[in-house]
Amino acid sequence: ISVLWVFSVLSGCTQPAPPDTGFVIKAGQIAITPVQFSEELDLKLTGYPYDVKTNPDEYNAMVLDLVSTLSDEAVLLAAAKERGFVITQAVLDTAEAEFKKEYPDDSFDQMLLETAISYPVWKNRLKKDMVIQKLIQQDLIDIQEITPEDMVAFYDQHSAPSADDTASAETIDEKGLVEQLRMEKSQAAFDGWIQELKLAYPVEINKDAVAAFLKTGN
C-alpha cells in the first residue's frame, strides 16, 4: 500500500514524448496515453543509472515493470472516478504547500529544473496520488472492523513492551490504536481488494503501443 501512497521525486529524463494518440493502458474510464506513459517513464528512469538505456534487457524490464504499476494505478483511478472521488483545487494547493515546506526558498523550483520534471507533470502526479490515497482510505482502511477482541489482543501483546517497542500499550491512545489496527488489517486485505477491483475494471494493454517504448538488441 505504501508504494501507492508515497510520492517521491528523483531525477532524470527520457527521449521526447511520442504523439499523444490512442492509449497504452486502459481500465474503466481511465486511459493512459503515450505522452502520459512517456512522462511516467521519465519519472521512473530517475531511479536508475543513466546508462540503463544502453542495456536493452534491463531497460525493457523497467518499461514492463512500469506497465504493471500503471495498470494497477489505472484500476484504482477508474474505481475512484466511478465513485466520484475528486481532489478540489483548494485541497491540492494545500498539499502542494505542505510538500514545498521541505524545500525552502527556491529549492523546489531548482529541484524540478535539475530533474528535468515539468511542474504540470509533478502536480498531476501529486493529484493522482491523492485521489488513490482517498480511495484506499475510504474504501479499504475506514471499513475495517476493529473488535474488542482485536484491542485486547493488542494490549496483551504489548503489555510488557521491550525497550525498543514503539507501539506499547502505555504510549498509544484508543483512537491511535484503532487507526493502527485498521492500517494493519487493510495491508493484509489489500491484495484481495485490488484483485476484486481488477475484475470490475479489467485492464486493457495496447501491446503495439508498449512495443514502441521497448529497445531492440545492440
Side-chain angles (χ1 to χ4, degrees), residues 93-111:
D93 290 343
T94 298
E96 179 182 351
E98 287 296 317
F99 184 90
K100 287 183 176 179
K101 287 181 180 180
E102 302 296 324
Y103 294 86
D105 301 324
D106 64 346
S107 58
F108 174 78
D109 294 333
Q110 186 63 30
M111 178 271 294

Side-chain angles (χ1 to χ4, degrees), residues 84-125:
F85 291 169
V86 297
I87 301 298
T88 65
Q89 189 62 45
V91 171
L92 182 60
D93 290 343
T94 298
E96 179 182 351
E98 287 296 317
F99 184 90
K100 287 183 176 179
K101 287 181 180 180
E102 302 296 324
Y103 294 86
D105 301 324
D106 64 346
S107 58
F108 174 78
D109 294 333
Q110 186 63 30
M111 178 271 294
L112 292 182
L113 180 63
E114 292 175 353
T115 58
I117 298 172
S118 71
Y119 173 75
V121 169
W122 178 88
K123 193 156 187 175
N124 186 56
R125 166 47 55 188

Side-chain angles (χ1 to χ4, degrees), residues 140-210:
L140 180 61
I141 298 176
D142 289 349
I143 67 170
Q144 298 302 319
E145 181 181 358
I146 304 303
T147 66
E149 290 76 15
D150 293 328
M151 301 180 72
V152 170
F154 176 89
Y155 281 114
D156 288 343
Q157 180 180 356
H158 298 282
S159 60
S162 60
D164 60 351
D165 191 343
T166 58
S168 67
E170 288 80 4
T171 60
I172 188 168
D173 59 22
E174 183 171 331
K175 181 178 179 181
L177 171 57
V178 170
E179 291 177 353
Q180 179 173 327
L181 291 175
R182 278 182 174 158
M183 183 69 70
E184 291 176 357
K185 282 194 171 186
S186 63
Q187 289 173 338
F190 180 79
D191 287 344
W193 176 70
I194 196 171
Q195 289 303 320
E196 291 182 1
L197 289 181
K198 288 179 179 179
L199 293 176
Y201 307 95
V203 174
E204 183 180 353
I205 297 174
N206 185 335
K207 295 182 179 179
D208 291 337
V210 172

